[in-house]
Amino acid sequence: MYKSLSKYSLVITLVLLIPAVFYLTGCNQEDSKNETATETTTEATQSTEAAFSTETTTEESSVEDTKNDETSVNDEAVENKGGNPVVIIKTSKGDIKVELDKENAPISTDNFLAYVEDGYYDGTIFHRVINNFMIQGGGFMADGQQKPTKAPIKNEADNGLKNDRGTIAMARTGVVDSATSQFYINTVDNDFLNHGKRDFGYAVFGKVVDGMDVVDAIAIVQTGPGDVPNEQIVIESVTVAE
């Protein structure tokens, strides 16, 4: 049920030997806590029902039991005082307002905004959901088809931003600079995804400033093989707030 890219024997080995390689995955909570955020691909979706793969693949690592007690993002709306771009992710569960961090993550921010400007995310789904870990989307349509993407971008995981509760980050494969369109939102503090913890890390490029209740509602939906929600969670649109 974990993300496995059949092409890569290393990934297959990890899936067999590590119950939850981050893939921003997570089947049952106890086992899936040890997975890593990964980008899901069509091939992975067909074989493992889109087992997390945020922009390619993410390994799952153990998450501390104190995750829920040490949330670092205020669930209430926060005024944007820094002049950063703010986007509204309108979902079938409600709206999520995200402030992007253009200063610390300029490449990831510009990449995300380019997809937003193209209307790329409209009609895509959150294809991988793991309670007490993260929700992942931005690459698949409701019919299960994976969308073509722009070229991969440089990984900015060393920008000092942390994978704390409420932050948004780029999903990727085992290749460091492989993120494209898929992203995930951390629902707990996921320190093991940070730069230098397991590997280069996963690049955070913003934070939820309103709508964490919607994120939490998505995080608790029932899922099937590959952590795919049984109930489709559609991203109806992503727009820049005025």
Side-chain angles (χ1 to χ4, degrees):
M1 66 171 69
Y2 301 99
K3 155 163 192 88
S4 58
L5 299 178
S6 59
K7 300 180 182 179
Y8 303 98
S9 60
L10 175 58
V11 175
I12 295 174
T13 301
L14 286 174
V15 171
L16 292 175
L17 298 180
I18 305 175
V21 178
F22 179 36
Y23 288 142
L24 289 185
T25 260
C27 290
N28 49 62
Q29 288 186 22
E30 291 306 314
D31 293 336
S32 62
K33 287 179 182 177
N34 297 315
E35 298 180 357
T36 304
T38 330
E39 176 183 344
T40 307
T41 64
T42 299
E43 186 174 337
T45 303
Q46 293 173 342
S47 61
T48 64
E49 307 273 346
F52 186 39
S53 102
T54 62
E55 266 329 303
T56 24
T57 64
T58 308
E59 303 173 74
E60 189 181 15
S61 213
S62 59
V63 178
E64 301 178 1
D65 292 335
T66 57
K67 293 184 294 188
N68 291 324
D69 297 326
E70 298 178 355
T71 58
S72 55
V73 175
N74 193 323
D75 287 356
E76 299 179 357
V78 178
E79 181 181 359
N80 174 20
K81 298 179 180 179
N84 283 320
V86 174
V87 298
I88 306 296
I89 303 174
K90 183 177 179 62
T91 81
S92 53
K93 286 284 191 181
D95 294 353
I96 304 168
K97 180 182 288 188
V98 178
E99 178 184 343
L100 307 181
D101 194 332
K102 188 173 179 64
E103 179 179 357
N104 292 302
I107 297 173
S108 301
T109 295
D110 287 347
N111 175 72
F112 186 79
L113 289 175
Y115 281 105
V116 170
E117 183 178 353
D118 291 346
Y120 179 92
Y121 293 119
D122 301 0
T124 59
I125 59 173
F126 281 99
H127 61 270
R128 191 160 184 240
V129 169
I130 302 172
N131 194 18
N132 291 327
F133 185 22
M134 62 81 224
I135 62 174
Q136 178 182 345
F140 288 85
M141 297 299 290
D143 61 2
Q145 293 298 308
Q146 185 173 13
K147 300 190 67 173
T149 66
K150 302 177 187 296
I153 61 173
K154 178 177 173 55
N155 191 329
E156 297 179 293
D158 58 351
N159 60 11
L161 301 178
K162 306 299 183 183
N163 279 271
D164 292 337
R165 171 174 162 80
T167 55
I168 185 172
M170 296 304 302
R172 63 173 175 84
T173 62
V175 177
V176 173
D177 299 325
S178 60
T180 55
S181 67
Q182 291 183 40
F183 62 89
Y184 63 94
I185 298 175
N186 290 291
T187 60
V188 294
D189 293 354
N190 289 312
D191 183 65
F192 69 96
L193 296 180
N194 293 331
H195 176 61
K197 291 297 182 177
R198 291 172 58 97
D199 57 12
F200 192 81
Y202 296 81
V204 171
F205 63 100
K207 62 182 179 180
V208 174
V209 294
D210 195 15
M212 270 307 290
D213 57 331
V214 176
V215 174
D216 290 336
I218 294 172
I220 62 174
V221 299
Q222 294 296 308
T223 59
D227 305 309
V228 179
N230 294 332
E231 166 193 356
Q232 280 198 337
I233 310 299
V234 180
I235 297 174
E236 299 173 356
S237 66
V238 181
T239 56
V240 177
E242 298 182 359

